[in-house]
């Protein structure tokens, strides 16, 4: 029987954390990922059933009772995940009362899930209501997106419009725009609650002066969303580097036309038509 370390889920996590690290989105221990796996996907592996540790969640998550999450460890470096997945990744199972979780694979040197676990799990709860197929929450520190949070007005409408106008297909990938919370202390239940509240409306939420939280059905799709957001922010930075003098732009009417062509509905009130 194959070991869980050879499963496509661990392989996918190793690859995507390496990619994100190589893009400078995860310096030191920056960034974290949680990936929900279905019981039938994990319970076939003989090496995932033994409980190595049990911890309190610190908040109530009855909506996630019995769910499995493959998650990055707190304080662990994305740079290292590829080479040492059994140390820097763990598979956890939420208890039936939604108060605790068991470590059933990984974290072999005593690691624990990311300090941003409240934001991850609270976001999962919200995204499951929007689309039960969504399984992934990804947090990282994309350079140009974070830079925007210093130079731009921090409104969802303003930032969504700016990112939509940087490349033709932004609006197709995130027609709902980008959510924004105020600057808050990372790792707290409070930032988790604020992020999750935005996740009911947006698939990506900017944490000013820190990074981004994004959700999606797969690692590919979620990482792809961050790629598109960051690419748009990078183009904005490059426009600045070229003197910042915008001579022509994608109009609101053209954005509406792209969205319509691809069957998307842009966030109400964000376009001026
Ligand atoms: P962790 O090492 O606990 O995952 O924290 C990294 C991070 O990016 C905090 O926002
Ligand atoms: Zn962070």
């Amino acid at each position: 029987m194959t070991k869980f370390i050879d499963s496509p889920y661990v392989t996918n996590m190793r690859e995507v954390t390496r990619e994100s690290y190589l893009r400078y989105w995860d310096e030191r221990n920056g960034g974290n990922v949680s990936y929900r796996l279905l019981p039938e996907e994990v319970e076939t592996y003989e090496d995932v059933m033994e409980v190595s540790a049990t911890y309190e969640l610190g908040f109530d998550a009855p909506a996630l009772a019995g769910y499995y999450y493959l998650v990055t460890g707190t304080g662990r470096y994305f740079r290292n995940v590829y080479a040492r997945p059994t140390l820097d990744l763990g598979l956890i199972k939420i208890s039936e009362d939604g108060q605790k979780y068991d470590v059933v694979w990984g974290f072999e040197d005593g690691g624990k899930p990311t300090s941003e676990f409240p934001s991850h799990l609270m976001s999962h709860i919200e995204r499951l209501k929007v689309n039960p197929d969504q399984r992934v929450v990804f947090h990282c520190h994309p350079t140009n997106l974070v830079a925007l949070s210093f130079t731009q007005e921090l409104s969802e409408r303003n930032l969504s419009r700016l990112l939509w106008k940087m490349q033709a297909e932004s609006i197709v990938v995130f027609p709902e725009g980008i959510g924004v919370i105020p600057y808050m202390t990372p790792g707290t239940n409070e930032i988790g609650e604020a992020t999750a509240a935005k996740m009911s409306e947006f698939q990506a939420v900017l944490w000013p002066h820190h990074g981004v939280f994004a959700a999606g059905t797969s690692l590919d799709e979620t990482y792809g969303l961050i790629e598109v957001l960051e690419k748009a922010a990078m183009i904005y930075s490059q426009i600045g580097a070229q003197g910042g003098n915008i001579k022509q732009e994608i109009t609101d009417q053209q954005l509406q036309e792209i969205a319509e062509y691809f069957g998307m509905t842009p966030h109400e009130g964000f376009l001026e038509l």
Side-chain angles (χ1 to χ4, degrees):
M1 187 182 276
T2 43
K3 300 271 191 201
F4 189 63
I5 191 172
D6 298 319
S7 67
Y9 320 112
V10 173
T11 303
N12 224 196
M13 282 285 266
R14 291 168 68 198
E15 287 172 348
V16 78
T17 47
R18 182 172 60 178
E19 276 273 328
S20 192
Y21 167 70
L22 290 173
R23 288 187 160 169
Y24 302 107
W25 299 347
D26 303 282
E27 67 293 336
R28 200 174 183 276
N29 66 310
N32 27 76
V33 191
S34 59
Y35 178 12
R36 180 168 59 89
L37 298 179
L38 306 179
E40 58 268 33
E41 290 170 333
V42 297
E43 288 172 1
T44 54
Y45 294 94
E46 63 184 12
D47 57 333
V48 299
M49 281 303 108
E50 208 168 306
V51 177
S52 62
T54 301
Y55 300 106
E56 295 287 328
L57 268 178
F59 57 93
D60 293 342
L64 305 180
Y67 284 12
Y68 289 95
Y69 287 94
L70 184 59
V71 60
T72 53
T74 184
R76 302 308 171 99
Y77 295 15
F78 272 26
R79 180 164 60 83
N80 294 337
V81 171
Y82 194 86
R84 28 178 274 173
T86 62
L87 304 183
D88 298 336
L89 298 178
L91 180 68
I92 66 97
K93 185 180 186 187
I94 311 279
S95 61
E96 292 306 324
D97 62 3
Q99 304 283 318
K100 300 184 283 295
Y101 60 89
D102 293 331
V103 177
V104 295
W105 178 89
F107 292 148
E108 280 180 357
D109 60 351
K112 290 178 80 170
T114 171
S115 59
E116 305 293 4
F117 217 25
S119 288
H120 280 256
L121 294 185
M122 292 178 195
S123 295
H124 278 293
I125 291 170
E126 284 312 310
R127 293 309 301 178
L128 279 166
K129 292 181 200 162
V130 178
N131 176 356
D133 291 336
Q134 294 208 342
R135 293 177 175 225
V136 174
V137 172
F138 201 112
H139 166 62
C140 60
H141 305 163
T143 316
N144 294 280
L145 214 44
V146 175
L148 275 188
S149 72
F150 292 92
T151 60
Q152 305 304 308
E153 179 208 325
L154 290 176
S155 84
E156 283 153 357
R157 185 175 186 276
N158 177 54
L159 287 170
S160 299
R161 288 173 56 79
L162 185 154
L163 295 170
W164 284 347
K165 282 177 179 261
M166 288 300 110
Q167 58 195 355
E169 290 179 17
S170 270
I171 199 164
V172 180
V173 177
F174 52 100
E176 72 284 354
I178 186 167
V180 186
I181 59 167
Y183 175 81
M184 296 175 78
T185 303
T188 57
N189 284 353
E190 289 71 26
I191 200 170
E193 284 156 13
T195 307
K198 293 294 179 187
M199 281 282 179
S200 60
E201 199 180 348
F202 299 97
Q203 216 172 318
V205 178
L206 183 70
W207 282 13
H209 323 320
H210 182 145
V212 69
F213 257 77
T217 52
S218 64
L219 283 171
D220 264 6
E221 191 215 38
T222 313
Y223 186 72
L225 169 57
I226 298 173
E227 285 183 300
V228 174
L229 289 163
E230 172 62 2
K231 180 65 180 281
M234 196 189 296
I235 294 168
Y236 185 79
S237 298
Q238 286 303 310
I239 291 171
Q242 292 179 19
N245 192 0
I246 294 180
K247 295 216 180 339
Q248 49 276 322
E249 62 158 16
I250 308 176
T251 65
D252 286 45
Q253 184 57 39
Q254 286 167 333
L255 285 174
Q256 178 66 28
E257 283 166 20
I258 306 165
E260 265 171 30
Y261 183 73
F262 286 96
M264 303 294 171
T265 308
H267 195 293
E268 170 117 40
F270 281 11
L271 293 179
E272 282 165 20
L273 299 166

